[in-house]
């Protein structure tokens, strides 16, 4: 197994993480993820966060950026992340 | 088991990471005369990596662990980065299978460099880890090229 590329892949961790104090808030984390995908957000924190889980283990997060754009962040059960603008 | 890059030995933390030498950065385009053969490409990477690597030494296992534990990046962001790495890895495997790895090597390298830059930017609050990842980037690139399906 090649470790090199999996230095990030090894971040595969259960989606249900125990609660741990994080230096990055959820609002900041979501905003960063949106910007990481090349979408404009207009700030470092999102608001109006809504989370839903389906039976297959996929998670959907809806959030509004400071620039008014609302995004859907999909997290598959396998840990794949995608971001779509809603408006 | 720690995987250590060639010419690299394990050290703790980032204490020795400050001695980054001036070098040909992997972010610059490689000369157009780069050989097309994949094995030659790897050898070229070894050569350039050997002369580019500074004295500072980083273990892959330590990098992985530190990246997992850093508070500088949120969990969702880590997953997003992982997705990007997985996509890159899948493309490497696909291009190798199609015999087009050499043709797309430059494009893959650009994507890899972009990921490293993103990671370093995100690790603004963990500068030691950021620096160590930068130091280990050639080893990471070599391992990416060698990844198997």
């Amino acid at each position: 197994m090649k470790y090199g590329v999996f230095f990030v892949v090894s971040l595969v961790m259960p989606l249900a993480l125990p609660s741990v104090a994080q230096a990055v808030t959820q609002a900041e984390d979501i905003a960063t993820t949106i910007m990481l995908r090349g979408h404009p957000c207009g700030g470092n924190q999102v608001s109006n966060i809504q989370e839903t889980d389906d039976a297959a283990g996929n998670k959907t997060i809806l959030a509004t950026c400071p620039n008014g754009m609302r995004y859907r962040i999909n997290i598959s059960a396998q840990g794949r992340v995608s971001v779509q603008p809603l408006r | 088991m720690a995987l250590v890059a060639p010419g690299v030995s394990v050290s703790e933390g980032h204490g020795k990471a400050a001695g980054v030498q001036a070098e040909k950065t992997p972010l610059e385009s490689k000369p157009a005369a780069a050989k097309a053969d994949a094995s030659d490409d790897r050898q070229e990477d070894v050569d350039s990596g050997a002369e580019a690597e500074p004295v500072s030494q980083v273990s892959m296992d330590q990098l992985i662990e530190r990246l997992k534990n850093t508070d500088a990046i949120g969990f969702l962001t880590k997953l997003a980065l992982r997705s990007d790495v997985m996509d890159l890895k899948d493309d490497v495997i696909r291009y190798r299978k199609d015999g087009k790895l050499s043709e797309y090597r430059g494009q893959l390298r650009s994507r890899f460099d972009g990921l490293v830059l993103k990671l370093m930017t995100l690790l603004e609050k963990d500068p030691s880890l950021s620096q160590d990842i930068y130091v280990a980037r050639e080893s990471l690139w070599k391992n990416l090229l060698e990844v198997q399906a």
Side-chain angles (χ1 to χ4, degrees), chain B:
Chain B
M1 178 177 73
L3 175 67
V4 181
V8 172
S9 60
V10 175
S11 68
E12 288 296 325
H14 65 284
K16 297 182 180 179
V20 177
Q21 300 171 0
E23 61 203 43
K24 183 180 74 170
T25 165
L27 303 182
E28 298 168 357
S29 300
K30 292 203 179 280
K35 297 175 183 174
D37 183 84
S39 61
D40 288 341
D41 288 342
R42 286 197 292 275
Q43 181 60 42
E44 185 178 84
D45 283 327
V46 170
D47 292 340
S48 63
E51 63 190 21
E53 285 301 322
V55 175
S56 51
Q57 300 150 353
V58 181
S59 151
M60 291 298 170
D61 277 353
Q62 288 181 345
L63 274 182
I64 291 168
E65 200 59 33
R66 289 169 64 191
L67 200 52
K68 280 183 182 179
N69 296 328
T70 182
D71 289 338
I73 305 178
F75 171 63
L76 187 57
T77 305
K78 290 177 184 176
L79 275 184
L81 287 168
R82 174 186 171 272
S83 295
D84 289 344
V85 173
M86 295 287 285
D87 289 340
L88 188 57
K89 182 203 73 161
D90 290 343
D91 285 343
V92 169
I93 292 172
R94 178 164 53 90
Y95 289 142
R96 179 185 297 114
K97 184 179 179 182
D98 295 342
K100 297 180 180 178
L101 185 58
S102 296
E103 179 182 345
Y104 287 93
R105 184 174 174 275
Q107 179 190 102
L108 292 170
R109 182 64 199 234
S110 294
R111 287 171 59 186
F112 172 80
D113 288 338
L115 275 177
V116 171
L117 276 176
K118 285 182 184 178
L119 193 52
M120 291 176 61
T121 303
L122 291 169
L123 287 172
E124 183 182 3
K125 297 179 182 178
D126 195 341
S128 64
L129 178 57
S130 172
Q131 188 167 20
D132 287 346
I133 287 173
Y134 179 77
V135 165
R137 67 198 182 284
E138 288 301 328
S139 298
L140 297 172
W141 172 243
K142 282 179 246 178
N143 283 314
L144 176 64
L145 288 179
E146 295 170 359
V147 70
Q148 300 295 328

Side-chain angles (χ1 to χ4, degrees), chain A residues 26 30 49-53 59-62:
Chain A
Q26 183 190 34
I30 293 172
I49 299 170
Q50 299 175 6
E51 294 185 41
T52 56
D53 298 319
K59 178 187 284 286
T60 299
I61 300 174
L62 302 177

